[in-house]
Amino acid sequence: MSTVLEASTEATCLSPVEIPTAIDNAFLESLIGYNARRAALAVIGVFMERMAPYGLRVVDFSVLTLITHNPGITSRQLSSMLAILPPNLVGMIRQMQARGLIEKRPHPNDRRAQGLYATAAGEQLQAQTQQVVSTLESEAVTQLTPEERHTLIRLLRKVYEFR
Amino acid sequence: MSTVLEASTEATCLSPVEIPTAIDNAFLESLIGYNARRAALAVIGVFMERMAPYGLRVVDFSVLTLITHNPGITSRQLSSMLAILPPNLVGMIRQMQARGLIEKRPHPNDRRAQGLYATAAGEQLQAQTQQVVSTLESEAVTQLTPEERHTLIRLLRKVYEFR
DNA sequence: TATTGTTATACTCTATAACTATA
DNA sequence: TATAGTTATAGAGTATAACAATA
């Protein structure tokens, strides 16, 4: 994750032919999608750094969190919630199972499905990393007042819930 | 691009073992990064649909826009601005060149570098698609007042500029 | 010695088709 | 006939190493 917007500042030569040194990025910067993406990348970048020691990617944390908070959730439900296609969940789940973080149990009403449950180790790791994420969240919005933070989330929801 | 958060609503069976039907996603939804990412994905999803007829992806539009607004910009500068690694720009630039949208000219002061310039066709396509993007932006934030839109962008900048 | 643009390549992420067992 | 989970695989996106030409 690198700094996205660093204008080159080599003020060495003023060429007769116009070669830009300070870049005009006004239009892209006026777009919600552009700014939302940059903000997400910035936060998620730090997120990845902090999660790495625990061997979790962002998506792993999301999966483990949803399973912990929703014991018995199915793979299909995870797929819907996180917009991950079912085939791409198989490996993640298998890996977390192999690490002893989660386990599968037969679904009581549907023998096709399987309920997913966090193990004690999984719950512990989730609690640990949730704390890390909460701390990061506080830091990331240190520039924002609590009210601004609330406003930001409310406005972001408005943007993605209208579709 | 699918709906990310659709709680399964099969109200058929109330099982004795607790199998969640309405999913608890409260923690993830409380995170700036999560909401920013969802908002970005929502807007960019529509973005992709609208750009497809012009044969441009989001990144292509960004590149074409920066070249149009900064005639003579170098590949290295694009790389910094858009957080795209230099090797991954080569193909894009070659393709846009083959489509007659941009052209390369020798850099006046640095024979290693090349200035990138939009052709007449490139400028026309950029103007067309910028209009499409502006329209989309208006629609995407139709739920927001102009002031809210301004606030949203200001707060997003605060989040990603603090690093 | 450092930088620009490039090649080749590897790795990750995401998407599609098809199968099985159940519903 | 439709759905849950899975396999295999294809494609897109992103990353690193190394090179020639030039600074």
Side-chain angles (χ1 to χ4, degrees), chain A residues 4 10 21 25 27 31 59 62 68-69 71 74 94 100-101 111 117 119 128 134 145 147 150 154 160:
Chain A
V4 180
E10 354 151 346
T21 52
N25 199 24
F27 181 68
L31 302 174
V59 63
S62 301
T68 302
H69 292 173
T74 67
R94 180 156 37 210
L101 299 175
R111 283 187 299 166
Y117 298 83
T119 63
Q128 266 187 309
S134 295
T145 68
E147 193 194 338
H150 188 262
R154 182 176 60 82
Y160 70 74

Side-chain angles (χ1 to χ4, degrees), chain B residues 106-160:
Chain B
H107 192 288
N109 324 97
D110 187 340
R111 282 187 300 167
R112 294 172 304 181
Q114 297 165 4
L116 299 170
Y117 298 84
T119 62
E123 280 181 14
Q124 195 187 340
L125 182 60
Q126 198 283 329
Q128 266 187 310
T129 50
Q130 176 163 328
Q131 185 53 53
V132 172
V133 171
S134 295
T135 302
L136 161 61
E137 180 77 0
S138 312
E139 292 174 28
V141 298
T142 189
Q143 249 65 349
L144 275 54
T145 66
E147 195 194 336
E148 282 180 328
R149 180 174 176 281
H150 187 261
T151 300
L152 176 53
I153 289 183
R154 182 176 60 82
L155 295 180
L156 286 171
R157 287 220 185 107
K158 270 198 184 183
V159 170
Y160 70 73

Side-chain angles (χ1 to χ4, degrees), chain A residues 20-139:
Chain A
T21 52
I23 305 292
D24 170 15
N25 199 24
F27 181 68
L28 295 181
E29 283 178 349
S30 76
L31 302 174
I32 300 263
Y34 177 85
N35 287 283
R37 180 162 185 274
R38 295 244 341 236
L41 288 177
V43 176
I44 290 172
V46 189
F47 196 118
M48 291 197 307
E49 291 171 18
R50 306 274 180 99
M51 282 295 128
Y54 301 93
L56 293 182
R57 300 165 304 161
V58 178
V59 63
D60 298 319
F61 173 76
S62 301
V63 167
L64 183 58
T65 295
L66 281 173
I67 293 175
T68 302
H69 292 173
N70 301 275
I73 193 173
T74 67
S75 170
R76 183 64 62 161
Q77 287 175 312
L78 285 176
S79 170
S80 298
M81 295 288 290
L82 298 172
I84 302 170
L85 294 171
N88 299 330
L89 264 173
V90 175
M92 294 183 215
I93 289 175
R94 180 156 37 210
Q95 208 170 341
M96 298 179 79
Q97 199 178 10
R99 283 179 65 181
L101 299 175
I102 63 173
E103 59 185 26
K104 296 175 177 177
R105 297 184 211 155
H107 192 289
N109 325 98
D110 187 340
R111 283 187 299 166
R112 295 173 303 183
Q114 296 165 5
L116 299 171
Y117 298 83
T119 63
E123 279 180 15
Q124 195 187 339
L125 183 59
Q126 198 283 328
Q128 266 187 309
T129 50
Q130 175 162 328
Q131 185 53 53
V132 172
V133 172
S134 295
T135 302
L136 161 62
E137 181 76 1
S138 313
E139 292 173 29

Side-chain angles (χ1 to χ4, degrees), chain B residues 34 87 90 119 127:
Chain B
Y34 176 86
V90 175
T119 62

Side-chain angles (χ1 to χ4, degrees), chain B residues 56-78:
Chain B
L56 292 182
R57 300 165 303 160
V58 179
V59 63
D60 299 318
F61 173 75
S62 301
V63 167
L64 183 56
T65 295
L66 281 173
I67 294 175
T68 302
H69 291 173
N70 301 275
I73 193 173
T74 67
S75 171
R76 183 63 62 162
Q77 287 175 312
L78 284 176

